[in-house]
Amino acid sequence: MFLRRYILDKGIIAYEVRKRFMSAWLYRIGHTLIDSGPPAVAKKLVPFILQDGEVDDIFISHHHEDHSGGVRTLQKALGVQVHVSQYAVPLTRSGFRAYPYQRFIWGKFEPFEEDSVLDVPALGYLPWSTADGDFIVLHAPGHSHDMTVLYDPARRAIFSADLYLSSKQRLMRRDEVFEVTLESLKRVLRLDIDMLLCGHRPVFHEGKARLEQKLIHMQKLKSALNQENPDSQSLKKLIGPEDWVFKLASFGNVSRDNLIASAKGDLKARPDIIEKVGLDWALCRFES
């Protein structure tokens, strides 16, 4: 495991946490932290963060353990105010099921109590301010029903959580909703974006072009799958072969097959998420 610190443009600081073969990134502007990092490294992260001064506020993008898993430790160590959307609250307060590979990489998630609930309209946005600036919180589901992204208009920066990840989508979790991810990309692309501060693969300049590339790639995949008999070679060219390492290690939770199934509308919501938020919300059917 290692930690790295980066001084970016316009007063933004980034912290990269690498655990085994994966990285997670969290960011700060002044005394405001965006996401908490995973639970497995939270204690070591505290003194690392304090190099840049005290933290007053943490914005949490969504419930996944690599984004919110460090909250409990940071609350105890730093006395911070935690802000999370109403969509994540049923899971961040009570916890959620994790696969063995998730606990192996990121550690065990500890439920936490937030200090404020950000009441973001479904598929809409909410202005949110701290002492460090005026932001806009956008509901951007698809990767998860509760995912929100944070836009900083003054810096033309989007803290995109897991909306981006890569210009070419090759894998998906079993419960991701392809069509809703497409719509979230379209809404976010209406913004004036330079810095794309992804939770795993940031793009420090011209980030809007990368988001556009992802949108185009997903649209091409959807078009190919809509054909009566999709050509296997065309699909392989678009998204590559199955990544058997990821598929086997994740017990099938992350795979190429899941991407294709979700693009076809064959969705598989997790039973534990359904129990806590309802089937329509788990499947991102917000119109219901």
Side-chain angles (χ1 to χ4, degrees):
M1 184 274 289
F2 71 76
L3 302 173
R4 283 184 181 171
R5 173 178 173 270
Y6 304 84
I7 304 297
L8 309 181
D9 289 348
K10 303 174 183 177
I12 301 174
I13 298 172
Y15 306 110
E16 181 187 7
V17 175
R18 178 170 286 275
K19 188 79 165 45
R20 295 184 168 92
F21 54 89
M22 293 188 71
S23 286
W25 291 65
L26 50 157
Y27 304 91
R28 75 180 288 168
I29 297 173
H31 301 284
T32 302
L33 194 65
I34 295 96
D35 279 337
S36 71
V41 298
K43 288 183 180 178
K44 292 185 178 180
L45 194 58
V46 169
F48 202 70
I49 289 172
L50 287 175
Q51 293 179 92
D52 299 303
E54 299 290 332
V55 176
D56 296 327
D57 299 280
I58 302 182
F59 167 82
I60 297 299
S61 62
H62 62 303
H63 74 276
H64 289 166
E65 70 286 340
D66 48 331
H67 294 263
S68 71
V71 166
R72 274 290 295 277
T73 298
L74 298 185
Q75 281 179 316
K76 293 175 183 176
L78 305 176
V80 294
Q81 299 286 302
V82 178
H83 311 272
V84 62
S85 79
Q86 77 272 32
Y87 308 111
V89 161
L91 300 167
T92 53
R93 286 183 185 174
S94 64
F96 48 89
R97 188 190 71 198
Y99 288 90
Y101 80 94
Q102 292 171 301
R103 294 193 295 271
F104 176 72
I105 297 171
W106 299 128
K108 184 180 178 181
F109 176 85
E110 288 188 74
F112 61 86
E113 289 285 333
E114 73 290 338
D115 295 284
S116 79
V117 176
L118 302 175
D119 192 11
V120 187
L123 308 180
Y125 67 91
L126 176 76
W128 181 65
S129 297
T130 74
D132 301 299
D134 297 321
F135 305 97
I136 298 172
V137 182
L138 296 97
H139 185 210
H143 175 73
S144 66
H145 77 282
D146 63 314
M147 195 169 75
T148 54
V149 299
L150 190 67
Y151 178 58
D152 182 344
R155 295 173 175 82
R156 298 174 59 219
I158 185 84
F159 299 90
S160 62
D162 288 342
L163 180 64
Y164 171 62
L165 298 178
S166 172
S167 297
K168 291 187 177 181
Q169 185 89 35
R170 299 188 185 279
L171 305 167
M172 267 191 169
R173 291 164 58 118
R174 185 178 283 124
D175 56 350
E176 289 189 68
V177 186
F178 184 97
E179 194 67 38
V180 178
T181 299
L182 271 179
E183 294 306 313
S184 291
L185 283 167
K186 290 175 185 176
R187 289 199 313 280
V188 167
L189 279 167
R190 296 172 190 160
L191 302 170
D192 181 18
I193 296 169
D194 178 32
M195 301 177 77
L196 174 60
L197 300 175
C198 172
H200 297 278
R201 192 174 295 178
V203 179
F204 299 131
H205 293 290
E206 300 183 358
K208 188 167 188 173
R210 294 291 188 90
L211 285 169
E212 288 170 340
Q213 288 171 15
K214 176 165 183 173
L215 176 64
I216 290 168
H217 180 260
M218 291 182 72
Q219 288 172 328
K220 285 181 178 178
L221 175 58
K222 181 182 175 184
S223 177
L225 289 169
N226 280 340
Q227 297 175 20
E228 188 172 342
N229 294 301
D231 178 56
S232 61
Q233 288 303 314
S234 297
L235 288 179
K236 195 170 184 178
K237 186 176 180 180
L238 271 173
I239 56 177
E242 182 66 86
D243 188 325
W244 286 101
V245 173
F246 260 103
K247 186 170 184 176
L248 293 174
S250 68
F251 297 88
N253 188 48
V254 181
S255 73
R256 174 185 184 269
D257 284 348
N258 292 339
L259 170 60
I260 292 172
S262 187
K264 289 179 175 179
D266 182 16
L267 308 177
K268 298 177 182 177
R270 285 174 46 170
D272 60 317
I273 304 297
I274 295 170
E275 182 181 347
K276 293 184 179 180
V277 304
L279 178 61
D280 285 333
W281 287 84
L283 294 177
C284 300
R285 293 174 179 161
F286 303 104
E287 69 277 6
S288 299

